[in-house]
Amino acid sequence: MENKVTDKSKILIVEDEESLAIGLEFNLQHEEYEVKIAKDGREALLFFEEDEFDLIILDIMLPYLNGFEIAEKIREKDAQVPILILTAKTNFQDKIKGLEIGADDYLTKPFHLEELILRVKGMLKRKSWYKTVINDKPVYSFGGTEINFQTLSCSNEKGNFNLTKNEAMVLRYLVDNKDKVVSRKELLENVWHVNPDIETRTVDIFISHLRKYFEHNPSNPVHIKSIRSAGYMFCE
Protein backbone atom coordinates (compact mmCIF):
# COMPACT_ATOMS: atom_id res chain seq x y z
CA MET A 1 0.00 0.00 0.00
CA GLU A 2 1.06 3.61 -0.50
CA ASN A 3 1.92 6.28 2.10
CA LYS A 4 3.57 3.98 4.59
CA VAL A 5 4.96 5.51 7.76
CA THR A 6 8.67 6.19 7.58
CA ASP A 7 9.25 7.18 11.21
CA LYS A 8 7.43 4.32 12.94
CA SER A 9 4.42 5.37 14.96
CA LYS A 10 3.77 3.24 18.03
CA ILE A 11 0.27 1.80 18.50
CA LEU A 12 -1.20 0.09 21.57
CA ILE A 13 -3.96 -2.44 20.83
CA VAL A 14 -6.19 -3.21 23.83
CA GLU A 15 -8.17 -6.29 22.84
CA ASP A 16 -8.98 -9.51 24.74
CA GLU A 17 -9.95 -11.49 21.64
CA GLU A 18 -6.56 -12.99 20.83
CA SER A 19 -7.18 -13.84 17.17
CA LEU A 20 -8.42 -10.33 16.41
CA ALA A 21 -5.54 -8.71 18.28
CA ILE A 22 -2.97 -10.80 16.44
CA GLY A 23 -4.63 -10.07 13.10
CA LEU A 24 -4.59 -6.33 13.79
CA GLU A 25 -0.98 -6.52 14.91
CA PHE A 26 0.05 -8.30 11.69
CA ASN A 27 -1.72 -5.83 9.41
CA LEU A 28 -0.57 -2.71 11.27
CA GLN A 29 3.01 -3.97 11.27
CA HIS A 30 2.63 -4.48 7.52
CA GLU A 31 1.83 -0.76 7.35
CA GLU A 32 5.15 -0.23 9.19
CA TYR A 33 3.70 0.70 12.57
CA GLU A 34 5.22 -0.54 15.81
CA VAL A 35 2.54 -2.46 17.74
CA LYS A 36 2.03 -3.66 21.31
CA ILE A 37 -0.95 -5.70 22.56
CA ALA A 38 -2.66 -5.49 25.96
CA LYS A 39 -5.19 -8.25 26.68
CA ASP A 40 -7.09 -6.54 29.53
CA GLY A 41 -7.66 -3.19 31.24
CA ARG A 42 -4.96 -3.56 33.87
CA GLU A 43 -2.30 -4.45 31.33
CA ALA A 44 -3.38 -1.55 29.11
CA LEU A 45 -2.82 0.99 31.87
CA LEU A 46 0.47 -0.64 32.86
CA PHE A 47 1.77 -0.41 29.28
CA PHE A 48 0.50 3.17 29.03
CA GLU A 49 2.44 4.11 32.18
CA GLU A 50 5.61 2.40 30.96
CA ASP A 51 5.72 3.65 27.37
CA GLU A 52 4.65 6.43 25.01
CA PHE A 53 2.19 5.63 22.24
CA ASP A 54 1.12 7.61 19.19
CA LEU A 55 -2.32 5.97 19.08
CA ILE A 56 -4.44 3.55 21.13
CA ILE A 57 -6.97 1.09 19.64
CA LEU A 58 -9.33 0.23 22.47
CA ASP A 59 -12.05 -2.39 22.87
CA ILE A 60 -14.88 -1.58 25.30
CA MET A 61 -15.73 -4.98 26.79
CA LEU A 62 -12.53 -6.03 28.59
CA PRO A 63 -11.55 -7.87 31.78
CA TYR A 64 -10.93 -5.80 34.95
CA LEU A 65 -11.55 -2.34 33.42
CA ASN A 66 -13.77 -1.58 30.45
CA GLY A 67 -12.70 0.64 27.57
CA PHE A 68 -14.61 3.67 28.82
CA GLU A 69 -12.83 3.47 32.18
CA ILE A 70 -9.46 3.07 30.48
CA ALA A 71 -10.10 6.06 28.20
CA GLU A 72 -11.04 8.22 31.20
CA LYS A 73 -7.86 7.26 33.07
CA ILE A 74 -5.72 7.90 30.00
CA ARG A 75 -7.31 11.31 29.47
CA GLU A 76 -6.55 12.27 33.07
CA LYS A 77 -2.86 12.01 32.22
CA ASP A 78 -2.69 12.67 28.48
CA ALA A 79 -5.11 14.93 26.63
CA GLN A 80 -3.47 14.44 23.27
CA VAL A 81 -2.88 10.75 22.47
CA PRO A 82 -5.46 9.61 19.88
CA ILE A 83 -7.89 6.88 21.00
CA LEU A 84 -9.85 4.73 18.53
CA ILE A 85 -12.61 2.71 20.16
CA LEU A 86 -13.15 -0.60 18.37
CA THR A 87 -16.16 -2.50 19.68
CA ALA A 88 -19.12 -4.76 18.98
CA LYS A 89 -21.37 -2.30 20.85
CA THR A 90 -23.37 -0.55 18.12
CA ASN A 91 -25.67 1.60 20.27
CA PHE A 92 -25.35 5.26 19.22
CA GLN A 93 -25.39 6.32 22.88
CA ASP A 94 -22.26 4.22 23.47
CA LYS A 95 -20.60 6.11 20.64
CA ILE A 96 -21.60 9.44 22.18
CA LYS A 97 -20.30 8.33 25.56
CA GLY A 98 -16.98 7.33 24.02
CA LEU A 99 -16.58 10.64 22.23
CA GLU A 100 -17.60 12.63 25.32
CA ILE A 101 -14.96 11.02 27.52
CA GLY A 102 -12.30 11.89 24.99
CA ALA A 103 -12.08 9.12 22.39
CA ASP A 104 -11.18 10.47 18.96
CA ASP A 105 -13.02 7.95 16.81
CA TYR A 106 -15.32 4.94 17.09
CA LEU A 107 -15.48 1.89 14.81
CA THR A 108 -17.89 -1.00 15.30
CA LYS A 109 -17.23 -4.69 14.74
CA PRO A 110 -17.33 -6.30 12.27
CA PHE A 111 -15.28 -3.79 10.32
CA HIS A 112 -13.38 -3.63 7.06
CA LEU A 113 -9.62 -3.71 7.54
CA GLU A 114 -9.09 -1.02 4.90
CA GLU A 115 -11.41 1.34 6.79
CA LEU A 116 -9.54 0.77 10.03
CA ILE A 117 -6.19 1.44 8.35
CA LEU A 118 -7.56 4.65 6.82
CA ARG A 119 -8.88 5.80 10.18
CA VAL A 120 -5.55 5.08 11.87
CA LYS A 121 -3.73 7.09 9.20
CA GLY A 122 -6.27 9.90 9.51
CA MET A 123 -5.95 10.04 13.30
CA LEU A 124 -2.15 10.19 13.14
CA LYS A 125 -2.37 12.90 10.49
CA ARG A 126 -4.82 14.81 12.67
CA LYS A 127 -2.46 14.51 15.64
CA SER A 128 0.36 15.97 13.56
CA TRP A 129 -1.87 18.82 12.31
CA TYR A 130 -3.04 19.75 15.80
CA LYS A 131 0.49 19.65 17.21
CA THR A 132 1.53 22.11 14.51
CA VAL A 133 -1.36 24.57 14.96
CA ILE A 134 -1.13 24.76 18.75
CA ASN A 135 2.46 25.89 18.48
CA ASP A 136 1.05 28.95 16.70
CA LYS A 137 -0.97 30.96 19.23
CA PRO A 138 -1.68 28.22 21.79
CA VAL A 139 -3.85 30.65 23.81
CA TYR A 140 -6.87 32.36 22.26
CA SER A 141 -9.51 34.68 23.71
CA PHE A 142 -12.97 35.72 22.52
CA GLY A 143 -16.23 36.86 24.08
CA GLY A 144 -14.94 36.64 27.66
CA THR A 145 -13.49 33.16 27.11
CA GLU A 146 -9.82 32.16 27.24
CA ILE A 147 -8.77 28.83 25.73
CA ASN A 148 -5.42 27.12 26.01
CA PHE A 149 -5.30 24.78 23.02
CA GLN A 150 -2.22 23.07 24.42
CA THR A 151 -3.67 22.07 27.79
CA LEU A 152 -7.31 22.07 26.54
CA SER A 153 -8.27 24.25 29.51
CA CYS A 154 -10.88 27.03 29.28
CA SER A 155 -12.23 29.74 31.51
CA ASN A 156 -15.24 32.05 31.14
CA GLU A 157 -18.33 33.16 33.06
CA LYS A 158 -19.44 29.51 33.23
CA GLY A 159 -16.29 28.54 35.15
CA ASN A 160 -13.08 26.62 34.49
CA PHE A 161 -13.33 23.45 32.43
CA ASN A 162 -11.48 21.30 29.91
CA LEU A 163 -12.39 20.45 26.33
CA THR A 164 -11.84 17.03 24.83
CA LYS A 165 -9.21 17.01 22.10
CA ASN A 166 -11.86 16.58 19.41
CA GLU A 167 -13.81 19.57 20.72
CA ALA A 168 -10.62 21.62 20.76
CA MET A 169 -9.69 20.59 17.22
CA VAL A 170 -13.12 21.50 15.85
CA LEU A 171 -13.03 24.86 17.60
CA ARG A 172 -9.48 25.58 16.45
CA TYR A 173 -10.39 24.87 12.83
CA LEU A 174 -13.37 27.22 13.08
CA VAL A 175 -11.22 29.90 14.75
CA ASP A 176 -8.54 29.59 12.06
CA ASN A 177 -11.31 30.14 9.49
CA LYS A 178 -12.97 33.00 11.36
CA ASP A 179 -15.82 34.74 9.48
CA LYS A 180 -15.77 32.05 6.77
CA VAL A 181 -18.39 29.38 6.17
CA VAL A 182 -17.05 25.92 7.07
CA SER A 183 -19.07 22.96 5.82
CA ARG A 184 -19.54 19.67 7.62
CA LYS A 185 -17.70 18.04 4.73
CA GLU A 186 -14.72 20.33 5.29
CA LEU A 187 -14.63 19.55 9.00
CA LEU A 188 -14.81 15.81 8.37
CA GLU A 189 -12.07 15.97 5.75
CA ASN A 190 -9.70 18.38 7.51
CA VAL A 191 -10.29 17.70 11.20
CA TRP A 192 -11.37 14.06 11.26
CA HIS A 193 -9.69 13.11 7.96
CA VAL A 194 -12.54 10.70 7.19
CA ASN A 195 -14.90 10.13 4.29
CA PRO A 196 -17.21 13.20 4.29
CA ASP A 197 -20.15 11.06 3.18
CA ILE A 198 -20.38 9.44 6.62
CA GLU A 199 -20.97 10.55 10.19
CA THR A 200 -22.15 14.11 9.55
CA ARG A 201 -24.16 13.80 12.76
CA THR A 202 -20.87 13.60 14.65
CA VAL A 203 -20.05 17.16 13.58
CA ASP A 204 -23.38 18.45 14.86
CA ILE A 205 -22.79 16.81 18.24
CA PHE A 206 -19.49 18.62 18.70
CA ILE A 207 -20.93 21.94 17.56
CA SER A 208 -23.68 21.49 20.16
CA HIS A 209 -21.05 20.88 22.86
CA LEU A 210 -19.08 23.99 21.89
CA ARG A 211 -22.18 26.16 21.98
CA LYS A 212 -23.01 24.88 25.45
CA TYR A 213 -19.54 25.93 26.62
CA PHE A 214 -19.16 29.27 24.86
CA GLU A 215 -22.55 30.73 24.01
CA HIS A 216 -24.53 32.77 26.53
CA ASN A 217 -27.66 31.39 24.87
CA PRO A 218 -26.80 28.17 22.97
CA SER A 219 -30.14 28.23 21.12
CA ASN A 220 -29.30 31.68 19.72
CA PRO A 221 -25.53 31.52 19.10
CA VAL A 222 -23.46 34.60 18.31
CA HIS A 223 -20.01 32.98 18.05
CA ILE A 224 -20.67 29.60 16.40
CA LYS A 225 -23.40 30.29 13.90
CA SER A 226 -25.29 27.89 11.64
CA ILE A 227 -25.37 28.90 8.00
CA ARG A 228 -28.40 27.21 6.52
CA SER A 229 -27.59 24.46 3.99
CA ALA A 230 -23.90 25.48 4.11
CA GLY A 231 -22.34 24.74 7.49
CA TYR A 232 -20.98 26.83 10.35
CA MET A 233 -19.22 30.15 10.86
CA PHE A 234 -17.15 31.33 13.82
CA CYS A 235 -17.38 35.02 14.74
CA GLU A 236 -15.73 36.81 17.63
Side-chain angles (χ1 to χ4, degrees):
M1 294 185 182
E2 297 179 355
N3 299 324
K4 290 188 177 181
V5 179
T6 52
D7 182 16
K8 285 192 176 183
S9 296
K10 189 179 293 186
I11 298 175
L12 174 63
I13 297 172
V14 188
E15 173 61 63
D16 62 335
E17 187 180 332
E18 185 178 8
S19 60
L20 176 56
I22 292 173
L24 287 172
E25 178 186 37
F26 174 81
N27 284 284
L28 289 169
Q29 286 176 340
H30 180 71
E31 294 293 322
E32 298 187 2
Y33 296 110
E34 186 177 337
V35 181
K36 193 165 189 176
I37 297 174
K39 62 183 179 296
D40 59 53
R42 289 179 188 171
E43 197 168 59
L45 293 179
L46 178 63
F47 290 166
F48 177 74
E49 293 284 349
E50 292 177 343
D51 208 345
E52 291 186 9
F53 295 94
D54 297 291
L55 185 144
I56 298 171
I57 298 176
L58 181 61
D59 190 14
I60 290 181
M61 294 178 285
L62 293 161
Y64 304 119
L65 294 167
N66 67 45
F68 294 136
E69 293 170 318
I70 295 167
E72 286 180 318
K73 291 182 180 297
I74 288 173
R75 282 290 173 254
E76 288 172 3
K77 298 185 177 181
D78 190 330
Q80 301 293 342
V81 62
I83 299 174
L84 169 62
I85 289 181
L86 186 65
T87 179
K89 295 172 75 69
T90 58
N91 188 301
F92 190 72
Q93 292 307 312
D94 287 321
K95 177 174 182 177
I96 299 305
K97 181 177 179 180
L99 293 172
E100 286 182 338
I101 63 177
D104 297 78
D105 207 347
Y106 195 108
L107 189 60
T108 56
K109 303 173 184 176
F111 57 88
H112 293 290
L113 178 62
E114 287 185 1
E115 182 181 3
L116 182 136
I117 297 296
L118 286 172
R119 290 195 184 218
V120 166
K121 289 180 178 179
M123 291 171 73
L124 291 170
K125 183 178 179 181
R126 186 160 78 235
K127 177 187 176 185
S128 177
W129 166 76
Y130 191 69
K131 185 177 181 181
T132 300
V133 299
I134 62 175
N135 288 331
D136 177 28
K137 297 181 182 178
V139 178
Y140 182 77
S141 299
F142 72 95
T145 292
E146 182 173 283
I147 304 163
N148 187 317
F149 283 103
Q150 204 151 30
T151 63
L152 309 184
S153 60
C154 305
S155 61
N156 59 22
E157 62 180 11
K158 297 184 181 183
N160 299 318
F161 55 93
N162 290 329
L163 299 177
T164 68
K165 190 174 66 174
N166 268 348
E167 290 166 347
M169 286 193 293
V170 172
L171 180 61
R172 183 57 188 249
Y173 193 85
L174 292 172
V175 166
D176 286 348
N177 290 275
K178 183 177 65 173
D179 299 324
K180 298 178 183 177
V181 177
V182 176
S183 69
R184 291 176 180 83
K185 177 182 177 183
E186 187 176 346
L187 284 168
L188 286 166
E189 287 181 330
N190 296 310
V191 177
W192 273 272
H193 296 285
V194 298
N195 184 337
D197 296 328
I198 61 173
E199 300 192 27
T200 55
R201 188 176 174 188
T202 299
V203 174
D204 298 332
I205 290 166
F206 281 99
I207 294 296
S208 176
H209 289 176
L210 295 176
R211 286 173 173 163
K212 181 180 68 175
Y213 299 142
F214 303 122
E215 299 287 359
H216 180 70
N217 180 3
S219 62
N220 186 27
V222 297
H223 299 299
I224 304 172
K225 299 180 179 180
S226 293
I227 309 300
R228 188 170 182 177
S229 302
Y232 300 100
M233 179 187 291
F234 174 80
C235 306
E236 289 189 345

